[in-house]
Amino acid sequence: MSAARISRLAVIGAGLIGSSIARAAREKGLADTVVVSDADPGVRARVRLLGFADVVAETAAEAARDADLVIACVPVCASGAVAAEVGPELKPGAILSDVGSVKGAVLEAMAPFVPPHAHLIPAHPVAGTEFSGPEAGFAALFENRWCILTPPEGADPEAVERLAALWRGMGANVEAMTARHHDLVLAITSHVPHLIAYNIVGTAAHLEETLTSEVIKFSAGGFRDFTRIAASDPTMWRDVFLTNREAVLEMLGRFTEDLSALQRAIRYGDGEALFAHFTRTRAIRRSIIEMGQETAAPDFGRRPAPGAAE
Amino acid sequence: MSAARISRLAVIGAGLIGSSIARAAREKGLADTVVVSDADPGVRARVRLLGFADVVAETAAEAARDADLVIACVPVCASGAVAAEVGPELKPGAILSDVGSVKGAVLEAMAPFVPPHAHLIPAHPVAGTEFSGPEAGFAALFENRWCILTPPEGADPEAVERLAALWRGMGANVEAMTARHHDLVLAITSHVPHLIAYNIVGTAAHLEETLTSEVIKFSAGGFRDFTRIAASDPTMWRDVFLTNREAVLEMLGRFTEDLSALQRAIRYGDGEALFAHFTRTRAIRRSIIEMGQETAAPDFGRRPAPGAAE
């Protein structure tokens, strides 16, 4: 089954993800017209200057009018409001999707506003950087990354395939699963890691002032990596923790129990327990490299990314 | 004051750090002769093949004989044994140093074996990758990284300067502080981050089997970065936690308290508290970039390092 080509693609929200979708769709010719809107007039002006949209619409409703596919690229808690605005504009057969890091809450928030003649297919591209805004996006962001679709029960297979084809066109590997399962997997792979990165950077900031400045000065591999994670968009992450509360608290509970065991091993000088634990975690790393999600190249002694200033 | 040139440099232990020192010293002509020894005959054979030593010595004692500078590049808990072996060989004016990530314990373990006519100047190059062994080292590892010297009270300034000059010659930025202060700063910048990275990867491994395999498959930015940290050498890290127990437990206590506060904010849906915390941590990241310890280039959508296989 070849998916019908997308004539008009509407991207609502021109942040890192939205602007990357618009750039990729244009660059790879995945839609005839790419329409971008943003609630912030300042961002709309920057999008015009950056030139990655065929049309910059004043409102989400205007962008969605006559679109085959509307993608809400906004923080999770704003997805309901976008659905409320664009819902009445959706033409028969149109697809409404999103890019949120939490899927159960998004489905719940958006579903009431989607008319029966349109399709709601939530999606989550597992990609990003710690930078925000329309300037931060780039067309290659999704290449060789996962995009997880969470179609609700009874979703139209043709609509799912049409959305999947767009994501594959942008270079992503597409998988489908239930929203509930997605939220559990992402809680441990992404949400809890971000939370503890935010947390340890906060702990460092609370130290005595002279100590904090030395922490910054001598920030080593571990901490420096955490600060990069902890520089991600605060609004997006607030919304993730507010909307994926149950799964995050469950995984955080397991994390804390395990940490207590390691802490106890340190306190009582149990070197064997520490060594055994540290050896087991190497195997997980190996699996990730084998699955092609990461190169084996070391970068603790961080070489600059290609094209980056030293 | 120009430091006296090093005629014979002895590197005890040919792992990631030792082999990088040998390579850098040779490449930059920082010593007339670079002698390398390793307790493992297999490693000695590989060092001969790799060819980064002028002389491969059978024992640490043999390597240290007549050396101006002996650097123990072994896990922290092995540094006392190395000092016991090389101590009697140290010639008048010779310097004994190390590269351990903990300095108080190293000083305590090595000091009793250093004769009064020699100098003990512990050091810690804040650099590394998650790889181990003589093949993993490279001459540029220390470039633009910190090397922290922790000379004991009353240390000979000329000896300190001679060691500092070697590290500067390898491209490092050298600072001096007390061992106690070093251990506190590193506990929060490096030791606790490594522990929680090891911990979360362990938590993921304990999940139901199907969930663990999906965690590996969909490992996103946060988790993938943690698995890299958690792939570091288990022996080295066991020793770090056994020997810097007090500072690690202190910092871990603060970390856990702070995490409880975030967890509570999630449980009670306190979005304002989460947003405020996530905004504050961005400032720390900015400071680190401004201090030149990191580039601003994003690499969550991880581009391969130069020369790495895709």
Side-chain angles (χ1 to χ4, degrees):
Chain A
M1 175 177 70
S2 113
R5 181 173 167 75
I6 291 162
S7 171
R8 183 177 165 102
L9 167 66
V11 175
I12 314 298
L16 168 68
I17 302 293
S19 72
S20 293
I21 292 175
R23 286 177 169 99
R26 280 265 297 242
E27 196 170 287
K28 291 156 205 270
L30 302 170
D32 298 328
T33 308
V34 176
V35 189
V36 174
S37 82
D38 196 285
D40 181 337
V43 170
R44 291 200 299 274
R46 280 146 67 197
V47 172
R48 278 192 196 93
L49 276 173
L50 291 162
F52 58 72
D54 295 310
V55 179
V56 178
E58 293 294 301
T59 65
E62 190 189 317
R65 206 162 296 150
D66 217 35
D68 306 274
L69 171 59
V70 180
I71 307 181
C73 304
V74 298
V76 169
C77 289
S79 56
V82 168
E85 188 182 345
V86 305
E89 307 290 340
L90 293 175
K91 69 178 183 185
I95 300 166
L96 177 60
S97 187
D98 80 312
V99 296
S101 304
V102 178
K103 300 268 60 90
V106 161
L107 193 61
E108 223 170 276
M110 296 181 96
F113 303 105
V114 181
H117 63 252
H119 309 285
L120 175 60
I121 319 282
H124 175 208
V126 187
T129 74
E130 70 275 30
F131 292 95
S132 319
E135 291 81 7
F138 53 99
L141 180 60
F142 310 111
E143 273 171 20
N144 213 17
R145 298 287 133 202
W146 291 104
C147 182
I148 302 174
L149 308 189
T150 61
E153 243 188 308
D156 177 47
E158 212 167 317
V160 174
E161 173 53 29
R162 203 173 178 195
L163 182 63
L166 176 82
W167 281 107
R168 282 196 299 266
M170 293 192 285
N173 304 311
V174 177
E175 287 259 340
M177 61 177 72
T178 65
R180 196 185 142 70
H181 193 72
H182 167 278
D183 290 354
L184 205 57
V185 170
L186 270 288
I188 188 77
T189 58
S190 172
H191 306 170
V192 168
H194 272 81
L195 191 74
I196 63 186
Y198 275 123
N199 188 62
I200 196 166
V201 175
T203 301
H206 296 147
L207 296 173
E208 302 70 19
E209 202 175 307
T210 54
L211 206 48
T212 297
S213 69
E214 295 214 315
V215 162
I216 290 169
K217 183 168 176 182
F218 298 108
S219 80
F223 188 74
R224 198 180 48 217
D225 283 3
F226 283 20
T227 64
R228 191 176 64 247
I229 299 175
S232 303
D233 184 55
T235 305
M236 172 195 153
W237 283 100
R238 177 198 62 196
D239 285 9
V240 164
F241 295 115
L242 292 177
T243 55
N244 198 22
R245 179 168 60 181
E246 204 182 317
V248 166
L249 289 177
E250 161 66 23
M251 291 302 171
L252 206 48
R254 297 186 189 211
F255 170 85
T256 308
E257 284 165 30
D258 290 346
L259 188 61
S260 296
L262 281 181
Q263 184 167 342
R264 198 169 175 284
I266 293 172
R267 191 176 301 279
Y268 293 104
D270 187 349
E272 274 175 49
L274 293 173
F275 185 81
H277 184 101
F278 299 165
T279 304
R280 276 196 303 271
T281 53
R282 275 197 151 174
I284 296 257
R285 171 72 181 170
R286 254 193 316 269
S287 311
I288 288 179
I289 291 171
E290 278 161 15
M291 295 203 60
Q293 282 292 292
E294 171 69 304
T295 70
D299 69 348
F300 263 17
R302 214 165 265 291
R303 302 162 212 188
E310 177 82 57
Chain B
M1 175 178 66
S2 114
R5 181 170 168 78
I6 292 162
S7 172
R8 183 177 165 104
L9 167 66
V11 174
I12 314 299
L16 168 68
I17 301 292
S19 72
S20 294
I21 292 174
R23 286 176 168 100
R26 280 266 296 242
E27 195 169 288
K28 292 157 204 269
L30 302 170
D32 297 329
T33 308
V34 176
V35 188
V36 174
S37 83
D38 196 285
D40 181 338
V43 170
R44 291 201 299 273
R46 282 147 66 199
V47 172
R48 277 192 197 92
L49 275 173
L50 290 162
F52 58 71
D54 295 309
V55 178
V56 178
E58 293 296 299
T59 65
E62 189 189 319
R65 206 161 297 147
D66 216 36
D68 308 274
L69 171 58
V70 180
I71 307 183
C73 304
V74 297
V76 170
C77 289
S79 55
V82 169
E85 188 182 346
V86 305
E89 306 290 340
L90 293 174
K91 69 178 183 186
I95 300 166
L96 177 61
S97 188
D98 80 313
V99 296
S101 304
V102 177
K103 300 269 60 91
V106 161
L107 192 60
E108 225 170 275
M110 296 182 95
F113 303 104
V114 181
H117 63 253
H119 309 286
L120 174 61
I121 319 281
H124 175 208
V126 187
T129 76
E130 68 276 31
F131 292 94
S132 318
E135 292 81 7
F138 53 98
L141 179 61
F142 311 111
E143 273 172 21
N144 213 17
R145 299 286 133 203
W146 290 104
C147 182
I148 302 173
L149 309 189
T150 60
E153 243 189 309
D156 177 46
E158 213 167 316
V160 174
E161 173 53 27
R162 203 174 178 194
L163 181 64
L166 176 81
W167 280 106
R168 282 194 299 265
M170 293 193 284
N173 304 313
V174 177
E175 286 261 340
M177 59 177 72
T178 66
R180 196 185 141 67
H181 193 72
H182 167 278
D183 290 353
L184 204 57
V185 171
L186 270 287
I188 188 78
T189 57
S190 171
H191 306 171
V192 169
H194 272 80
L195 190 73
I196 63 186
Y198 275 122
N199 188 63
I200 196 164
V201 174
T203 300
H206 295 146
L207 297 172
E208 301 71 19
E209 204 175 309
T210 53
L211 206 50
T212 298
S213 68
E214 296 214 315
V215 163
I216 290 169
K217 183 167 174 181
F218 298 109
S219 81
F223 188 74
R224 199 180 50 219
D225 283 2
F226 283 19
T227 64
R228 192 177 65 247
I229 299 175
S232 303
D233 184 54
T235 305
M236 172 193 153
W237 284 99
R238 177 199 62 196
D239 286 8
V240 164
F241 295 116
L242 292 177
T243 55
N244 198 23
R245 178 167 63 180
E246 204 181 316
V248 167
L249 289 177
E250 161 67 21
M251 291 302 171
L252 207 48
R254 297 184 189 211
F255 170 84
T256 308
E257 284 165 30
D258 290 346
L259 189 60
S260 297
L262 281 181
Q263 184 167 342
R264 198 170 176 282
I266 293 172
R267 190 175 302 280
Y268 294 103
D270 186 350
E272 273 175 49
L274 293 172
F275 184 82
H277 184 101
F278 299 166
T279 304
R280 276 196 303 270
T281 54
R282 276 197 149 173
I284 295 259
R285 171 73 181 168
R286 254 194 315 269
S287 310
I288 287 178
I289 291 172
E290 278 162 16
M291 294 204 56
Q293 283 292 293
E294 171 69 304
T295 70
D299 69 350
F300 263 18
R302 213 166 266 289
R303 302 161 211 190
E310 178 82 56

